[in-house]
Amino acid sequence: MKVHYECAACFLRQSREALDLATDDEELKMDITEELVKIVSENFRRGGVSNVIGTQIHRTIKDKTGNNDPYRKEREISNDIACQYIPMVEKLIEDDSSLKNYLKVAIAGNVIDFGALGLDTDMESLIVTTMQKEPAVDDSTELETELETAKTVLYLADNIGEIVMDKMLIKKLADYDVDITVALKEEPILNDACMEDALKIGLNEVSKLTTTGTDSIGIISGDVSPEFMAKFMEADLIVAKGLGNYEGLGEMDLKDKPVFCLLNAKCKPVARDIGVEVGDNIVLKLNPKK
C-alpha cells in the first residue's frame, strides 16, 4: 500500500512510543529521533510504500538502542488479553460453527495492536465490539470455495495475542483437509508474532510453522528469505492477517494466486485504500496487481 498523508504523523508517533519502550536514555532518544525524522523526510513521498518505511524506522530503533524487542512487555500483555477472552470466544463458536464466524473471531484478534492504535488503547472493549460486527467487505464465500479445492494453505500471522484467536481459525481450516503452514517473523518487530510466541500457545499442534526469514513489517518481497518465498509461491492459497501484510501484499505481483486478507481497518489510510470506514472488519480477496 502506498502511503497516505496521515502516515507521516503515525510514523513519528510510533517512533516516539518505540523509543520510550526501548531506552530511558533521553540523549540517545534525541539522537535517534534526528535520524528517524531524516528517514521520514527522505522516504515519505507520493508512491512510498508504508510498510517499507515503517520497517526501516523500527529496525533503526532496535539497532541504535541495542534493544531487539522494545515491545516485549506489550506483547506479553496482548497475549494475556487474548487468553482472557477464550471462554467467551469458545461460546460464540459453539453457537455458530460456520467458517464466517471463525473468521470474525480471528479478525477480532487483529485489534490487539499497540503499534497501530497506540499504547493507551482499551483493547478489551475493542475486542468485544469487533466480534459483534459483520464484515463490511465479505469474500468469505470465495474463501470457502478456494478451501474446498486447495491442498496447501500458507497463513501469514500478524501480532502476538492475535495468534491465540488465529489458532481457533486454523483448527477450522483443517476441516477442509488442507495442509496448513503458519509463517511468523524471524525476529521481533513491533508486537508481531515470532516462533517463540507461536510455540508458547501450541500453534505447532495445529499447523506447521515457518518464518519469513526476516523482521519486516508485513511482507516485503525483496526482504523475505528465498525459502519463505518458495513456500509462498508453492502454496495453493494464502490467508494473511493484519495491516502490515495487507500493505505489503498489495505491492506484490500475485499473478493468479488466491490471497485473502483478514483485518480490522484500524486507521484511515487503510480504510480509505479498501473503501470502508475505520473500524470495519474485512475479509478481502486481493485482485492481481496490474
Side-chain angles (χ1 to χ4, degrees), residues 4 20 26 29 49 64 66 70 73 80 100 103 111 124 224 228 279 289:
H4 294 233
D20 285 343
E26 299 298 325
K29 284 192 274 192
V49 179
K64 298 298 182 181
K73 181 180 178 181
D80 291 343
K100 184 175 179 179
L103 293 171
V111 303
E124 296 185 10
V224 298
F228 169 79
K289 187 177 179 181

Side-chain angles (χ1 to χ4, degrees), residues 1-52:
M1 187 185 87
K2 301 298 190 293
V3 293
H4 294 233
Y5 81 91
E6 298 100 328
C7 295
C10 186
F11 288 141
L12 295 176
R13 187 266 304 165
Q14 274 194 28
S15 298
R16 174 183 56 79
E17 291 183 346
L19 279 172
D20 285 343
L21 293 171
T23 181
D24 293 326
D25 188 330
E26 299 298 325
E27 289 298 319
L28 180 59
K29 284 192 274 192
M30 184 64 185
D31 292 340
I32 297 172
T33 298
E34 289 180 5
E35 188 166 344
L36 298 177
V37 170
K38 184 177 180 181
I39 289 172
V40 174
S41 175
E42 292 178 350
N43 295 278
F44 186 83
R45 55 180 51 83
R46 285 182 176 85
V49 179
S50 52
N51 69 316
V52 172

Side-chain angles (χ1 to χ4, degrees), residues 28 49 51 68 75-76 88 99 119 161 208 210 216 235 251:
L28 180 59
V49 179
N51 69 316
N68 190 53
R75 287 148 58 89
E76 293 170 355
M88 180 184 69
L99 174 63
L119 298 177
K208 297 176 182 176
T210 189
S216 64
E251 296 300 313

Side-chain angles (χ1 to χ4, degrees), residues 115-243:
L117 297 174
L119 298 177
D120 58 351
T121 303
D122 183 352
M123 295 293 177
E124 296 185 10
S125 295
L126 268 177
I127 290 171
V128 174
T129 303
T130 304
M131 288 181 67
Q132 295 171 343
K133 289 183 180 179
E134 292 296 315
V137 176
D138 185 6
D139 291 335
S140 57
T141 300
E142 289 186 62
L143 174 56
E144 189 155 26
T145 299
E146 295 288 352
L147 284 166
E148 289 169 352
T149 58
K151 290 182 172 57
T152 57
V153 175
L154 181 62
Y155 193 104
L156 307 183
D158 189 22
N159 301 325
I160 189 171
E162 181 175 352
I163 58 174
V164 172
M165 297 188 185
D166 288 337
K167 184 178 178 181
M168 297 181 179
L169 172 58
I170 290 165
K171 287 181 180 179
K172 179 65 176 179
L173 297 181
D175 290 346
Y176 292 85
D177 196 25
V178 291
D179 186 67
I180 305 166
T181 299
V182 177
L184 305 129
K185 297 300 162 57
E186 180 75 18
E187 297 179 6
I189 191 163
L190 283 170
N191 54 335
D192 286 10
C194 298
M195 184 68 74
E196 177 186 359
D197 308 313
L199 292 174
K200 282 182 179 178
I201 65 161
L203 201 54
N204 56 309
E205 299 167 2
V206 297
S207 66
K208 297 176 182 176
L209 301 181
T210 189
T211 76
T212 61
T214 186
D215 64 347
S216 64
I217 297 172
I219 299 299
I220 301 175
S221 59
D223 199 56
V224 298
S225 69
E227 294 78 12
F228 169 79
M229 188 52 69
K231 288 182 173 66
F232 185 95
M233 298 309 298
E234 291 166 2
D236 295 327
L237 173 63
I238 308 293
V239 177
K241 289 295 300 294
L243 273 63

